[in-house]
Amino acid sequence: TFAAEAGVFDSRPREVPNAKFRESIIMGTFEGGSSELRVAISELRDEFHGGAYNLIKRNCNHFANALCWRLVRKTIPGHVNRLADFGGCCSCLIPKKLLEESPVNSNG
């Protein structure tokens, strides 16, 4: 998964710290092996480093979408990240601080 300061990190399914699990969505079957999976994640690490996290513009759902696209050529369902998408469309209504820097961090 992907989070502020941590960047891309691994965790057990449904057990991401400080996150609430809502549902499982079957996205398809990845036909590659573990080495292809490692390459895909490694390539995404540069794009999804900890300093790049933003609740509206680049959150864990954006990472999940990018990873799903690389592995099974499908995007996550639109409803998964709808609130962030809505926030991006209505950015004039959101405090500037939330749009410019990571609003979520381990320092509270």
Side-chain angles (χ1 to χ4, degrees):
T1 192
F2 169 63
E5 295 181 2
V8 175
F9 66 95
D10 62 344
S11 66
R12 295 181 57 82
R14 302 180 185 182
E15 295 180 8
V16 176
N18 302 314
K20 182 175 181 178
F21 173 77
R22 298 206 186 270
E23 68 179 312
S24 291
I25 300 172
I26 304 299
M27 295 301 301
T29 303
F30 174 56
E31 299 295 335
S34 59
S35 62
E36 291 94 346
L37 175 61
R38 282 192 298 274
V39 166
I41 292 171
S42 179
E43 289 173 352
L44 290 172
R45 282 184 198 278
D46 291 337
E47 184 179 346
F48 290 90
H49 57 86
Y53 185 91
N54 183 282
L55 190 60
I56 304 298
K57 297 178 178 180
R58 187 167 298 275
N59 62 40
C60 57
N61 295 323
H62 292 105
F63 171 75
N65 190 55
L67 184 60
C68 283
W69 180 254
R70 287 189 186 230
L71 299 180
V72 296
R73 293 292 186 225
K74 292 183 182 177
T75 58
I76 62 174
H79 73 275
V80 173
N81 211 20
R82 186 171 291 141
L83 188 57
D85 292 340
F86 181 73
C89 291
C90 301
S91 59
C92 62
L93 303 173
I94 296 174
K96 191 174 182 180
K97 184 175 182 176
L98 291 180
L99 298 172
E100 292 179 343
E101 56 191 54
S102 175
V104 180
N105 62 46
S106 62
N107 298 326

